[in-house]
Amino acid sequence: MKKLLALTMALAMSLSLAACGNSGDQNAPGSASSNGSASTSQSDASTSTGDASSAGDASFTTVEEGKLIMATNATFPPYEYIEGGQVAGIDAEIITAVAEKLGLEPVIEDMEFDAVIEAVKGGKADIGLAGMTVTPDRAAEVDFTVSYATGVQVVIVTEDSAITSVDDLFAEGANYVVGVQRNTTGDIYATGDIEDAGLGTIDRYSKASDTVQALVSGKVDCVIIDNEPAKAFVSEIDGLKILDTEYITEDYAAAMNKENTALYDAVNTAMQELLDDGTIQSIIDKYITAD
């Protein structure tokens, strides 16, 4: 009888312990039956990309989990252009290096240039890299990272053009038609310096290549554009040249959403490290050789 009672008690204790064990498993994070814990974990994962080791292990969020989405306009060689159906160039390599530092997958979205800042502001892209110059108006809409390159705006003309110097655009009685890519700094500066001053007309195009074609076809008298794509266009199209005098010098940086400060800090730190260790300069040197 004692044996039977002891066996009964042992069996009861065993069942009780088993039930406790099952209860612990159900409450483990990620368990299918642990609604509160699993729900919180999944919600966090939808926005958190993890930790940025280069930003002092500060957590950050991105538009899409595990990815760093870059908005660009791939008509600006050598900074960004299409090659083999993919966006290539300086900015494409920089975003890859930054994403690697942050443990993310780089994703590049090609769009109109004047949509890049809107994509960053509207939360459709994490970062805008498009050979973009830092200006006060843009800085009011987005935060800019450390500058990673210096750009020079130049003027392209036909070889037989009456325009022989940048100064000709500002001469008394000047009345030239100037081609620019819409919302670029070439557009911004030319609008103020030439159109608003009554010294000419600005023709705006959605792509840099369209402005150059307008010059070739005689629709515009000159094109104001960054020096590097200018050299690429002139090397490909006969009968064009770049004026010796520069129009303006400017700094390029990445545009980021003002509200996502954690991601900004992580990206900015990563870019500074890539500048300090020479990675960004080596990328630029691959595409731009010293004259």
Side-chain angles (χ1 to χ4, degrees):
M1 183 69 176
K2 288 183 180 180
K3 279 182 148 187
L4 181 58
L5 181 60
L7 181 60
T8 302
M9 291 178 65
L11 181 59
M13 290 180 64
S14 175
L15 289 172
S16 175
L17 288 172
C20 290
N22 288 339
S23 176
D25 289 343
Q26 287 173 349
N27 290 327
S31 170
S33 57
S34 177
N35 293 333
S37 181
S39 175
T40 301
S41 176
Q42 186 160 349
S43 175
D44 290 344
S46 68
T47 56
S48 176
T49 61
D51 294 330
S53 59
S54 61
D57 291 331
S59 61
F60 53 82
T61 60
T62 57
V63 172
E64 192 170 338
E65 181 186 0
K67 297 180 180 180
L68 187 64
I69 300 177
M70 164 184 148
T72 194
N73 175 238
T75 65
F76 197 66
Y79 287 91
E80 39 267 320
Y81 56 92
I82 301 297
E83 182 176 75
Q86 302 293 323
V87 178
I90 293 171
D91 288 342
E93 292 204 29
I94 288 175
I95 196 65
T96 299
V98 170
E100 183 177 353
K101 267 190 171 290
L102 302 184
L104 301 171
E105 175 191 350
V107 177
I108 303 177
E109 300 286 349
D110 186 21
M111 61 189 68
E112 296 295 326
F113 182 80
D114 52 7
V116 172
I117 284 183
E118 291 304 318
V120 173
K121 284 175 55 182
K124 295 180 179 179
D126 298 300
I127 184 171
L129 270 172
M132 185 176 293
T133 304
V134 179
T135 68
D137 287 344
R138 290 172 180 167
E141 297 187 84
V142 294
D143 280 340
F144 282 103
T145 62
V146 59
S147 175
Y148 64 91
T150 299
V152 177
Q153 292 287 315
V154 297
V155 179
I156 304 176
V157 296
T158 57
E159 289 181 345
D160 60 354
S161 175
I163 304 172
T164 60
S165 167
V166 170
D167 292 339
D168 292 340
L169 299 176
F170 310 116
E172 186 178 351
N175 188 27
Y176 296 107
V177 180
V178 180
V180 297
Q181 184 180 11
R182 188 179 298 109
N183 286 337
T184 61
T185 48
D187 181 5
I188 294 168
Y189 294 132
T191 297
D193 297 342
I194 298 173
E195 191 167 63
D196 291 349
L199 296 174
T201 303
I202 308 302
D203 247 7
R204 298 170 178 85
Y205 298 85
S206 62
K207 298 178 180 178
S209 56
D210 291 343
T211 67
V212 177
Q213 286 303 318
L215 176 61
V216 172
S217 63
K219 293 180 180 179
V220 301
D221 298 306
C222 66
V223 166
I224 296 177
I225 191 174
D226 181 272
N227 187 48
E228 296 308 322
K231 289 192 293 187
F233 288 127
V234 169
S235 68
E236 294 172 0
I237 303 172
D238 292 335
L240 301 182
K241 66 179 181 180
I242 300 171
L243 296 183
D244 291 335
T245 48
E246 298 174 354
Y247 189 76
I248 198 166
T249 301
E250 52 200 7
D251 291 323
Y252 290 162
M256 300 192 66
N257 190 298
K258 283 181 173 292
E259 296 180 0
N260 196 343
T261 55
L263 181 61
Y264 171 86
D265 290 341
V267 169
N268 195 50
T269 299
M271 290 189 70
Q272 186 62 64
E273 291 175 353
L274 292 168
L275 283 166
D276 292 343
D277 67 17
T279 299
I280 288 180
Q281 189 58 52
S282 67
I283 291 171
I284 293 173
D285 290 344
K286 284 172 57 179
Y287 295 88
I288 302 175
T289 57
D291 293 331

